[in-house]
Amino acid sequence: MPMKQSGSGDLTVIDRHEAGVGWIAYPDETMQRASHAVERDGDVWVIDPVDVEGLDDLLAEYGDVAGVIVLLDRHKRDAAAIATRHDVAVHIPSWMNGVEDDIDAPIERFDDEIAGFEVDRLIDNPGWQEAVLFDGETLVVPEALGTVEYFTTSRERVGVHPMLRLLPPRSLKRYDPERLLVGHGEGLDEDVAEAIRSAIAGSRTRAPKLYLQSAKAFLGF
Protein backbone atom coordinates (compact mmCIF):
# COMPACT_ATOMS: atom_id res chain seq x y z
CA MET A 1 0.00 0.00 0.00
CA PRO A 2 1.63 3.33 -1.04
CA MET A 3 2.01 6.13 1.50
CA LYS A 4 0.30 8.58 -0.88
CA GLN A 5 -1.38 8.15 -4.24
CA SER A 6 -2.06 10.39 -7.20
CA GLY A 7 -4.01 10.19 -10.43
CA SER A 8 -7.63 9.11 -10.56
CA GLY A 9 -9.02 8.96 -7.04
CA ASP A 10 -12.08 7.38 -5.49
CA LEU A 11 -14.20 9.84 -3.51
CA THR A 12 -14.97 8.31 -0.11
CA VAL A 13 -17.24 10.39 2.12
CA ILE A 14 -16.42 10.52 5.85
CA ASP A 15 -17.37 12.61 8.87
CA ARG A 16 -20.73 13.76 7.53
CA HIS A 17 -22.52 15.92 10.11
CA GLU A 18 -25.11 18.68 10.24
CA ALA A 19 -22.59 21.42 9.45
CA GLY A 20 -20.24 19.75 7.03
CA VAL A 21 -18.60 16.72 5.51
CA GLY A 22 -15.21 15.14 4.98
CA TRP A 23 -13.71 12.97 2.28
CA ILE A 24 -10.72 10.80 1.45
CA ALA A 25 -9.70 10.95 -2.20
CA TYR A 26 -7.44 7.88 -2.12
CA PRO A 27 -8.81 5.40 0.43
CA ASP A 28 -6.15 2.78 -0.36
CA GLU A 29 -3.15 4.93 0.57
CA THR A 30 -1.38 4.46 3.90
CA MET A 31 -1.66 8.11 4.97
CA GLN A 32 -5.42 8.32 4.26
CA ARG A 33 -5.28 12.06 3.58
CA ALA A 34 -8.58 13.49 4.78
CA SER A 35 -10.13 16.80 3.74
CA HIS A 36 -13.08 18.67 5.17
CA ALA A 37 -15.73 21.23 4.33
CA VAL A 38 -17.82 23.18 6.84
CA GLU A 39 -20.96 25.21 6.19
CA ARG A 40 -21.54 28.61 7.71
CA ASP A 41 -24.74 30.52 6.74
CA GLY A 42 -24.80 28.99 3.27
CA ASP A 43 -21.07 29.46 2.68
CA VAL A 44 -18.78 26.45 2.40
CA TRP A 45 -15.22 26.58 3.67
CA VAL A 46 -12.90 23.88 2.40
CA ILE A 47 -10.02 22.78 4.65
CA ASP A 48 -6.70 21.27 3.49
CA PRO A 49 -8.33 19.66 0.44
CA VAL A 50 -7.23 16.86 -1.85
CA ASP A 51 -9.11 17.15 -5.13
CA VAL A 52 -11.05 14.24 -6.63
CA GLU A 53 -13.72 13.69 -9.26
CA GLY A 54 -17.18 14.30 -7.84
CA LEU A 55 -15.99 16.72 -5.16
CA ASP A 56 -17.85 19.75 -6.51
CA ASP A 57 -21.16 17.90 -6.39
CA LEU A 58 -20.49 16.95 -2.77
CA LEU A 59 -19.65 20.53 -1.81
CA ALA A 60 -22.74 21.85 -3.60
CA GLU A 61 -24.93 19.92 -1.16
CA TYR A 62 -23.85 22.42 1.51
CA GLY A 63 -23.70 25.69 -0.44
CA ASP A 64 -21.30 27.81 -2.44
CA VAL A 65 -17.57 27.62 -1.75
CA ALA A 66 -16.47 30.83 0.01
CA GLY A 67 -12.82 29.99 0.52
CA VAL A 68 -10.14 27.37 0.99
CA ILE A 69 -8.24 27.16 4.28
CA VAL A 70 -4.72 25.79 4.75
CA LEU A 71 -3.94 24.83 8.36
CA LEU A 72 -0.54 23.13 7.94
CA ASP A 73 2.43 24.46 6.00
CA ARG A 74 2.79 21.08 4.24
CA HIS A 75 -0.91 20.78 3.41
CA LYS A 76 -0.98 22.93 0.31
CA ARG A 77 -2.35 19.81 -1.39
CA ASP A 78 -4.86 20.91 -4.07
CA ALA A 79 -5.86 24.17 -2.40
CA ALA A 80 -4.95 26.31 -5.40
CA ALA A 81 -6.79 24.14 -7.94
CA ILE A 82 -10.01 24.10 -5.92
CA ALA A 83 -9.83 27.82 -5.10
CA THR A 84 -9.28 28.67 -8.76
CA ARG A 85 -12.15 26.49 -9.90
CA HIS A 86 -14.53 28.23 -7.49
CA ASP A 87 -13.03 31.70 -7.96
CA VAL A 88 -12.16 32.15 -4.28
CA ALA A 89 -9.01 32.79 -2.26
CA VAL A 90 -6.79 30.46 -0.30
CA HIS A 91 -6.73 31.55 3.35
CA ILE A 92 -3.53 31.06 5.35
CA PRO A 93 -2.76 31.97 9.00
CA SER A 94 -1.04 35.35 9.21
CA TRP A 95 1.99 33.90 11.00
CA MET A 96 2.55 30.95 8.65
CA ASN A 97 5.38 31.42 6.17
CA GLY A 98 6.87 29.41 3.32
CA VAL A 99 3.42 28.58 1.95
CA GLU A 100 2.18 31.49 -0.12
CA ASP A 101 4.83 31.23 -2.84
CA ASP A 102 3.81 27.65 -3.63
CA ILE A 103 0.11 28.42 -4.12
CA ASP A 104 -0.92 29.73 -7.51
CA ALA A 105 -4.15 31.40 -6.41
CA PRO A 106 -5.21 34.59 -4.60
CA ILE A 107 -4.11 34.58 -0.95
CA GLU A 108 -5.80 36.06 2.07
CA ARG A 109 -4.43 35.98 5.60
CA PHE A 110 -6.38 35.44 8.81
CA ASP A 111 -5.57 35.86 12.48
CA ASP A 112 -7.62 34.57 15.40
CA GLU A 113 -10.89 33.64 13.69
CA ILE A 114 -12.19 32.27 10.43
CA ALA A 115 -15.46 30.69 9.30
CA GLY A 116 -16.87 30.82 12.83
CA PHE A 117 -13.87 29.03 14.32
CA GLU A 118 -11.36 30.18 16.89
CA VAL A 119 -7.87 29.75 15.45
CA ASP A 120 -5.04 28.58 17.68
CA ARG A 121 -1.35 28.38 16.82
CA LEU A 122 -0.49 24.81 17.80
CA ILE A 123 3.06 24.47 16.44
CA ASP A 124 5.29 27.19 15.01
CA ASN A 125 8.90 26.34 14.30
CA PRO A 126 11.10 26.24 11.17
CA GLY A 127 10.15 22.64 10.42
CA TRP A 128 6.47 22.58 11.35
CA GLN A 129 3.70 25.20 11.34
CA GLU A 130 0.24 24.05 12.30
CA ALA A 131 -2.98 25.79 13.30
CA VAL A 132 -6.11 24.19 14.77
CA LEU A 133 -9.73 25.30 14.62
CA PHE A 134 -12.36 25.08 17.37
CA ASP A 135 -15.93 26.38 17.48
CA GLY A 136 -16.97 24.98 20.85
CA GLU A 137 -18.15 21.74 19.27
CA THR A 138 -15.80 20.72 16.47
CA LEU A 139 -12.01 20.59 16.77
CA VAL A 140 -10.00 20.43 13.55
CA VAL A 141 -6.41 19.16 13.90
CA PRO A 142 -4.71 18.75 10.52
CA GLU A 143 -1.56 16.82 11.45
CA ALA A 144 -0.62 16.57 15.12
CA LEU A 145 -3.33 13.94 15.63
CA GLY A 146 -4.54 11.20 13.29
CA THR A 147 -6.67 8.08 13.37
CA VAL A 148 -4.98 5.93 10.72
CA GLU A 149 -2.70 3.02 11.56
CA TYR A 150 0.38 5.11 10.78
CA PHE A 151 -0.54 7.36 13.74
CA THR A 152 -2.09 4.94 16.22
CA THR A 153 -1.25 1.93 18.33
CA SER A 154 -3.67 -0.90 19.08
CA ARG A 155 -4.63 0.90 22.30
CA GLU A 156 -5.51 4.23 20.66
CA ARG A 157 -8.53 5.55 18.78
CA VAL A 158 -6.51 8.63 17.86
CA GLY A 159 -2.76 9.00 18.04
CA VAL A 160 -0.12 11.71 18.12
CA HIS A 161 1.93 12.04 14.93
CA PRO A 162 4.99 9.77 15.22
CA MET A 163 7.38 12.72 14.86
CA LEU A 164 5.73 14.53 17.79
CA ARG A 165 5.46 11.66 20.26
CA LEU A 166 8.45 12.67 22.37
CA LEU A 167 7.15 16.23 22.72
CA PRO A 168 3.40 16.05 22.14
CA PRO A 169 1.31 19.23 21.82
CA ARG A 170 -0.16 19.18 25.32
CA SER A 171 -2.25 22.30 24.69
CA LEU A 172 -4.72 20.02 22.87
CA LYS A 173 -5.79 18.65 26.25
CA ARG A 174 -7.59 21.90 27.06
CA TYR A 175 -10.29 21.28 24.48
CA ASP A 176 -13.52 19.47 25.22
CA PRO A 177 -14.92 18.87 21.73
CA GLU A 178 -17.90 16.82 20.69
CA ARG A 179 -16.28 16.09 17.34
CA LEU A 180 -12.66 15.73 16.17
CA LEU A 181 -11.70 16.13 12.51
CA VAL A 182 -8.18 15.17 11.47
CA GLY A 183 -6.10 15.42 8.33
CA HIS A 184 -5.37 11.71 8.18
CA GLY A 185 -8.24 9.28 8.68
CA GLU A 186 -11.82 9.47 9.84
CA GLY A 187 -12.78 11.68 12.74
CA LEU A 188 -14.22 10.87 16.14
CA ASP A 189 -17.57 11.84 17.66
CA GLU A 190 -17.67 9.83 20.88
CA ASP A 191 -15.63 10.44 24.06
CA VAL A 192 -13.41 12.73 22.02
CA ALA A 193 -11.69 14.64 24.83
CA GLU A 194 -10.85 11.42 26.64
CA ALA A 195 -9.33 9.93 23.47
CA ILE A 196 -7.17 13.01 22.89
CA ARG A 197 -5.92 13.16 26.47
CA SER A 198 -5.15 9.44 26.47
CA ALA A 199 -3.20 9.77 23.23
CA ILE A 200 -1.10 12.63 24.57
CA ALA A 201 -0.54 10.96 27.94
CA GLY A 202 0.79 7.78 26.33
CA SER A 203 2.59 9.27 23.35
CA ARG A 204 6.09 9.03 24.84
CA THR A 205 5.80 5.37 25.78
CA ARG A 206 4.06 4.02 22.66
CA ALA A 207 4.79 4.05 18.95
CA PRO A 208 2.62 2.92 16.03
CA LYS A 209 3.71 -0.45 14.65
CA LEU A 210 3.20 0.64 11.05
CA TYR A 211 5.40 3.71 11.57
CA LEU A 212 8.17 1.57 13.06
CA GLN A 213 7.95 -0.82 10.13
CA SER A 214 8.17 2.06 7.67
CA ALA A 215 11.13 3.59 9.50
CA LYS A 216 13.01 0.28 9.53
CA ALA A 217 12.36 -0.23 5.83
CA PHE A 218 13.60 3.30 5.07
CA LEU A 219 16.77 2.76 7.11
CA GLY A 220 17.35 -0.69 5.64
CA PHE A 221 16.98 -2.62 8.90
Side-chain angles (χ1 to χ4, degrees), residues 3-4 31-34 36 47-48 71-77 96 122-123 127-133 139-148 150-151 158-165 169 172 180-185:
M3 294 290 283
K4 297 180 181 179
M31 294 302 288
Q32 294 271 303
R33 288 171 295 166
H36 301 279
I47 303 171
D48 289 4
L71 294 179
L72 180 78
D73 55 353
R74 299 188 298 277
H75 275 188
K76 294 175 282 289
R77 294 177 168 177
M96 194 175 286
L122 184 65
I123 300 173
W128 195 307
Q129 298 174 88
E130 180 173 359
V132 300
L133 305 180
L139 175 65
V140 185
V141 183
E143 190 80 356
L145 299 176
T147 60
V148 294
Y150 188 81
F151 280 71
V158 61
V160 175
H161 190 288
M163 299 301 293
L164 297 177
R165 283 193 169 245
L172 290 173
L180 171 67
L181 305 179
V182 296
H184 296 275

Side-chain angles (χ1 to χ4, degrees), residues 2-201:
M3 294 290 283
K4 297 180 181 179
Q5 290 180 311
S6 59
S8 179
D10 181 12
L11 178 63
T12 301
V13 175
I14 60 171
D15 299 330
R16 191 186 284 273
H17 54 96
E18 66 276 6
V21 68
W23 69 94
I24 295 175
Y26 300 97
D28 294 329
E29 66 181 14
T30 298
M31 294 302 288
Q32 294 271 303
R33 288 171 295 166
S35 313
H36 301 279
V38 294
E39 183 271 332
R40 292 289 190 269
D41 298 324
D43 289 333
V44 176
W45 292 85
V46 184
I47 303 171
D48 289 4
V50 177
D51 206 358
V52 63
E53 185 176 352
L55 175 58
D56 289 347
D57 289 338
L58 177 65
L59 298 177
E61 295 179 24
Y62 293 85
D64 296 326
V65 174
V68 178
I69 302 170
V70 173
L71 294 179
L72 180 78
D73 55 353
R74 299 188 298 277
H75 275 188
K76 294 175 282 289
R77 294 177 168 177
D78 296 316
I82 293 172
T84 298
R85 196 161 69 236
H86 290 272
D87 194 25
V88 298
V90 176
H91 298 251
I92 304 171
S94 58
W95 48 270
M96 194 175 286
N97 55 54
V99 179
E100 183 171 343
D101 292 343
D102 295 328
I103 295 179
D104 186 16
I107 300 293
E108 293 188 15
R109 296 285 185 163
F110 60 90
D111 294 312
D112 300 327
E113 185 177 359
I114 190 169
F117 286 96
E118 168 193 331
V119 181
D120 286 335
R121 188 184 313 199
L122 184 65
I123 300 173
D124 185 11
N125 62 56
W128 195 307
Q129 298 174 88
E130 180 173 359
V132 300
L133 305 180
F134 186 56
D135 65 359
E137 178 178 332
T138 299
L139 175 65
V140 185
V141 183
E143 190 80 356
L145 299 176
T147 60
V148 294
E149 191 177 358
Y150 188 81
F151 280 71
T152 60
T153 70
S154 60
R155 298 168 55 187
E156 297 172 332
R157 293 189 296 134
V158 61
V160 175
H161 190 288
M163 299 301 293
L164 297 177
R165 283 193 169 245
L166 289 180
L167 293 171
R170 299 186 182 280
S171 61
L172 290 173
K173 295 194 298 182
R174 75 180 180 87
Y175 297 102
D176 188 18
E178 297 179 21
R179 178 183 302 109
L180 171 67
L181 305 179
V182 296
H184 296 275
E186 297 186 26
L188 300 178
D189 58 9
E190 294 183 1
D191 300 322
V192 177
E194 178 184 349
I196 293 172
R197 290 168 186 144
S198 176
I200 292 172

